[in-house]
Amino acid sequence: MHFISQELEDYIEQHSEKEPELLAALNKETYQKILLPRMLSGHFQGRVLSMLSKLIRPENILEIGTYTGYSALCLCEGMRENGVLHTIDIKEELIDFQRKHFDKSPWGKQITQHLGEAVDIIPTLDLKFDLVFIDADKENYLNYFELIVPKMNKGGIILSDNVLWSGKVLEPLNPKDISTKVLLEYNQLLKEDLRVETVLLPIRDGLTVSRVL
């Protein structure tokens, strides 16, 4: 997942905005109690998500893949006062953990948690979104994109995480590696789809910013 040295990553964090105390506590507790803590967005990527949200000033946000709630809280930092964030995850055991930290934030009442498969839940959301963050099972990225685009406001932003997939996108493809195969197709789709304009940023494990035209 790391494409630059730890020393350079440390320097980047030191010269970016400080991680808020609530998120630092959530970060720490995730590493203490939850499996696969490296899935958490973390300080630097979290500040990137926060900055993008503040630039967009979204009213409605959709997050696919909640994990422990770190990225959701980052995205809320730029949300309008009347805004709502909908976040979807399949892991029931994380619901209470997420909610505990959501309710410690200023946006607890503006965050709606959805438990289940995103491909089933997205069609039930009768909203137009200004900002979407995709950070879930890679096998469904193409499906998520097709479900999301019709629900985006013009000029809305779709953020897609892990699109470099620890560098596997450059390696010979193993036919059994479905996640990498889908990500290769997904990255090509974002480049060619006339409904969006896209830039792929080498942030952490790759973050694509796609603007809906």
Side-chain angles (χ1 to χ4, degrees), residues 28-127:
K28 182 178 180 180
E29 190 171 352
T30 298
Y31 271 83
Q32 289 174 335
K33 299 180 179 179
I34 307 298
L35 292 173
L36 302 174
R38 76 188 195 102
M39 290 174 56
L40 182 136
S41 291
H43 176 187
F44 173 57
Q45 185 175 5
R47 292 305 86 206
V48 172
L49 296 177
S50 169
M51 182 67 76
L52 289 171
S53 184
K54 288 171 182 174
L55 290 170
I56 297 163
R57 296 294 294 155
E59 182 173 354
N60 293 318
I61 303 173
L62 173 63
E63 178 184 54
I64 305 173
T66 315
Y67 190 48
T68 56
Y70 189 99
S71 53
L73 291 173
C74 294
L75 295 170
C76 282
E77 292 180 31
M79 187 168 60
R80 298 180 195 175
E81 289 185 7
N82 63 333
V84 175
L85 181 142
H86 290 264
T87 185
I88 305 171
D89 207 283
I90 60 172
K91 294 185 178 180
E92 185 174 4
E93 66 271 19
L94 293 178
I95 290 289
D96 291 341
F97 186 96
Q98 298 160 5
R99 177 48 60 184
K100 178 180 72 172
H101 291 280
F102 290 161
D103 287 344
K104 290 179 181 178
S105 79
W107 310 285
K109 295 181 179 179
Q110 295 168 267
I111 299 175
T112 300
Q113 295 163 283
H114 299 271
L115 178 65
E117 297 287 347
V119 290
D120 298 323
I121 293 170
I122 293 170
T124 70
L125 301 176
D126 188 21
L127 289 169

Side-chain angles (χ1 to χ4, degrees), residues 2-204:
H2 298 278
F3 300 108
I4 61 176
S5 69
Q6 185 61 55
E7 291 79 10
L8 194 53
E9 287 194 0
D10 292 343
Y11 182 88
I12 290 169
E13 287 192 5
Q14 292 162 9
H15 292 81
S16 298
E17 285 296 309
K18 184 179 179 182
E19 185 179 39
E21 289 185 8
L22 173 62
L23 291 176
L26 172 52
N27 194 333
K28 182 178 180 180
E29 190 171 352
T30 298
Y31 271 83
Q32 289 174 335
K33 299 180 179 179
I34 307 298
L35 292 173
L36 302 174
R38 76 188 195 102
M39 290 174 56
L40 182 136
S41 291
H43 176 187
F44 173 57
Q45 185 175 5
R47 292 305 86 206
V48 172
L49 296 177
S50 169
M51 182 67 76
L52 289 171
S53 184
K54 288 171 182 174
L55 290 170
I56 297 163
R57 296 294 294 155
E59 182 173 354
N60 293 318
I61 303 173
L62 173 63
E63 178 184 54
I64 305 173
T66 315
Y67 190 48
T68 56
Y70 189 99
S71 53
L73 291 173
C74 294
L75 295 170
C76 282
E77 292 180 31
M79 187 168 60
R80 298 180 195 175
E81 289 185 7
N82 63 333
V84 175
L85 181 142
H86 290 264
T87 185
I88 305 171
D89 207 283
I90 60 172
K91 294 185 178 180
E92 185 174 4
E93 66 271 19
L94 293 178
I95 290 289
D96 291 341
F97 186 96
Q98 298 160 5
R99 177 48 60 184
K100 178 180 72 172
H101 291 280
F102 290 161
D103 287 344
K104 290 179 181 178
S105 79
W107 310 285
K109 295 181 179 179
Q110 295 168 267
I111 299 175
T112 300
Q113 295 163 283
H114 299 271
L115 178 65
E117 297 287 347
V119 290
D120 298 323
I121 293 170
I122 293 170
T124 70
L125 301 176
D126 188 21
L127 289 169
K128 286 285 191 176
F129 293 99
D130 307 296
L131 177 60
V132 173
F133 182 43
I134 305 175
D135 186 17
D137 57 312
K138 312 312 162 193
E139 292 88 345
N140 269 310
Y141 267 36
L142 293 163
N143 296 326
Y144 296 150
F145 182 78
E146 294 298 342
L147 289 170
I148 287 165
V149 171
K151 293 181 174 290
M152 297 295 297
N153 283 318
K154 185 175 180 179
I157 299 294
I158 300 171
L159 303 174
S160 308
D161 200 16
N162 304 117
V163 290
L164 294 180
W165 208 221
S166 299
K168 291 181 181 179
V169 292
L170 293 180
E171 298 173 359
L173 180 63
N174 181 339
K176 296 181 180 180
D177 186 351
I178 304 302
S179 294
T180 301
K181 180 178 182 293
V182 171
L183 282 173
L184 288 167
E185 294 176 11
Y186 183 71
N187 290 340
Q188 193 65 32
L189 171 67
L190 294 185
K191 176 66 170 63
E192 297 176 351
D193 197 304
L194 298 179
R195 295 172 293 178
V196 297
E197 58 179 347
T198 292
V199 60
L200 198 165
L201 305 175
I203 293 172
R204 203 160 177 252

